[in-house]
Amino acid sequence: MLAPVAALTDRSSSSGASSRAPGGDRGDRVRSMLPRLLPWLGLAVAVGLVAWSFWYPGHSGEEVYSRAPRSASDRAVPPLHGLWEPKWFGPGTAPAVLLALLSWRYAAGLAERLPWRRLLVVGYAAGLAWMLSLALVDGTAGLSRQLGNPYEYLTTARDVGGLGTLFSTWLERMPLDSPDAFPTHVAGHPPAALLFFVALVKVGLGGDLAAGVVVTLLAATTALAVLVTLRALGAEATARRAAPFLVVAPTAVFMAVSGDAVFAAVAAWGIACLALGTAALARASTPKAHDRKQRRDRRRGVGWSLLAGLLLGMLVMMSYGMPLMGLLAVAVLVAGRSWRPLPLAAGAALVVVLGFAAAGWAWWDFYPALVERYEEGIAKDRPEDYWRWANLALLVISAGPLVAAGVAHLAARPRAWLRRDHAPLLLAGAAVVMVAAADASGMSKAEVERIWLPFMPWLLVSCALLPERWRRWGLGLQLLTALVVQQLFYTVW
């Protein structure tokens, strides 16, 4: 009796399995196709968003106020805070095209083969050359015109006397209708942004061109800080794949003479120091580590963590939006599997913030005045329903369209988030959350092609996680984006 029943059971199981197989196969096929389809979907959405953001203002009849017109001949091109001004050839055009061709052909191979320190040196030189060549498409004015305009920091920095007077009169100079109102960028940022340019003036580098060169020299270090962070968190292979996308990113168009590029560099090095401190303190807590090595790692970890806190504290005093970088700092601690640097870094950052407060400038007192000044200016006329989406289009223009494919690819790898080597995913994921929070705040309507520069290098890490076939042609797309934007538009920055 048992044999026929067993046979029947086997046949029933077999029949049930075969009846479920087609559905199971379809599910498996969908799951296997998803990682291939999502990057294409992300890229398509990004391109569509950019096209819509350019099309809508001219066809809807709605004024979106990407910039205040300076003259009747201004040819504004929302969403860019710039003008339609094609430049078919400039002093930097030939070097920029040559660098783009060489980067597309050789960058990935060199990033894989070069010794680490040499990679950093070559990466810095290439990134600096890329920024300078793009800026010089407009001649030397490409490095000097923006920092020299009255809305920026230098004009005010040249007139600053004592810090006591500056801080004591800061609040009364915040309103737009104040008799001695601060220009837009000074009023829109905490004092460390202005003090950076005051320092340049004091050391004899306060000329428009000299300051532009200094800003560009600092901006070019941002990519190196991201690479150092990845390597400290055990992701050197990803760092090498990411290097070309970071070094010759389209962000170079907007970083060369932007004060926000200085914030991006300070933020990146603060995060890099935190990653180095996390790695060192994690090694120091390993039970089998040699005592002498443990003490050395502990000292290094403490030093890097304190330096990270000082840099990140100064960053908060440079831009009101930079507390969002705390999300990235948490991602570093999670990826490094150590919370030991947290009290050290947080304490050092607090020392900076409280130091400014003791000198007469408390962040929490001035933020409400910033909101009032923001709503007094052109921001009050910018429709939020347009800019909520146009901001993301500007992100695609500045960081490059491949970043949309990279971010979409993150969502196609749910199991990868659970691996121990998930540091690149965490960094890129934290950048996505930071951008979403900044966009939702309503305090970043337009101009985010430079305002969000501190977030963009971390988003670009996602490009290194794409399959090789994507990276090969994707780098070319990124380079072409930078050349087209620089040659066709007067981007201000």
Side-chain angles (χ1 to χ4, degrees), residues 65 162 359 457-458:
Y65 294 99
W458 308 98

PDB file of all heavy atoms in Angstrom, residues 65 162 359 457-458:
ATOM      1  N   TYR A  65      11.700  82.642 -13.015  1.00  0.00           N
ATOM      2  CA  TYR A  65      12.724  83.468 -12.381  1.00  0.00           C
ATOM      3  C   TYR A  65      13.976  82.681 -12.015  1.00  0.00           C
ATOM      4  O   TYR A  65      14.378  82.614 -10.851  1.00  0.00           O
ATOM      5  CB  TYR A  65      12.172  84.167 -11.135  1.00  0.00           C
ATOM      6  CG  TYR A  65      11.097  85.175 -11.437  1.00  0.00           C
ATOM      7  CD1 TYR A  65       9.748  84.844 -11.296  1.00  0.00           C
ATOM      8  CD2 TYR A  65      11.422  86.447 -11.893  1.00  0.00           C
ATOM      9  CE1 TYR A  65       8.748  85.757 -11.589  1.00  0.00           C
ATOM     10  CE2 TYR A  65      10.429  87.376 -12.196  1.00  0.00           C
ATOM     11  CZ  TYR A  65       9.101  87.020 -12.035  1.00  0.00           C
ATOM     12  OH  TYR A  65       8.124  87.929 -12.335  1.00  0.00           O
ATOM     13  N   GLY A 162      37.547  94.869  11.723  1.00  0.00           N
ATOM     14  CA  GLY A 162      37.619  93.949  12.852  1.00  0.00           C
ATOM     15  C   GLY A 162      36.435  93.001  12.872  1.00  0.00           C
ATOM     16  O   GLY A 162      35.322  93.328  12.437  1.00  0.00           O
ATOM     17  N   ALA A 359      32.057  84.436  20.100  1.00  0.00           N
ATOM     18  CA  ALA A 359      32.560  85.649  19.444  1.00  0.00           C
ATOM     19  C   ALA A 359      31.428  86.564  18.990  1.00  0.00           C
ATOM     20  O   ALA A 359      31.691  87.652  18.458  1.00  0.00           O
ATOM     21  CB  ALA A 359      33.429  85.265  18.251  1.00  0.00           C
ATOM     22  N   PRO A 457      29.860  64.806  -5.513  1.00  0.00           N
ATOM     23  CA  PRO A 457      30.905  63.779  -5.619  1.00  0.00           C
ATOM     24  C   PRO A 457      30.492  62.441  -5.029  1.00  0.00           C
ATOM     25  O   PRO A 457      30.894  61.381  -5.525  1.00  0.00           O
ATOM     26  CB  PRO A 457      32.082  64.393  -4.850  1.00  0.00           C
ATOM     27  CG  PRO A 457      31.831  65.861  -4.856  1.00  0.00           C
ATOM     28  CD  PRO A 457      30.346  66.002  -4.817  1.00  0.00           C
ATOM     29  N   TRP A 458      29.691  62.481  -3.982  1.00  0.00           N
ATOM     30  CA  TRP A 458      29.265  61.240  -3.328  1.00  0.00           C
ATOM     31  C   TRP A 458      28.202  60.526  -4.156  1.00  0.00           C
ATOM     32  O   TRP A 458      28.135  59.296  -4.168  1.00  0.00           O
ATOM     33  CB  TRP A 458      28.777  61.556  -1.920  1.00  0.00           C
ATOM     34  CG  TRP A 458      29.801  62.358  -1.176  1.00  0.00           C
ATOM     35  CD1 TRP A 458      29.829  63.714  -1.011  1.00  0.00           C
ATOM     36  CD2 TRP A 458      31.001  61.865  -0.581  1.00  0.00           C
ATOM     37  NE1 TRP A 458      30.958  64.088  -0.327  1.00  0.00           N
ATOM     38  CE2 TRP A 458      31.699  62.976  -0.045  1.00  0.00           C
ATOM     39  CE3 TRP A 458      31.545  60.590  -0.425  1.00  0.00           C
ATOM     40  CZ2 TRP A 458      32.916  62.853   0.618  1.00  0.00           C
ATOM     41  CZ3 TRP A 458      32.763  60.459   0.241  1.00  0.00           C
ATOM     42  CH2 TRP A 458      33.419  61.584   0.752  1.00  0.00           C
TER      43      TRP A 458
END
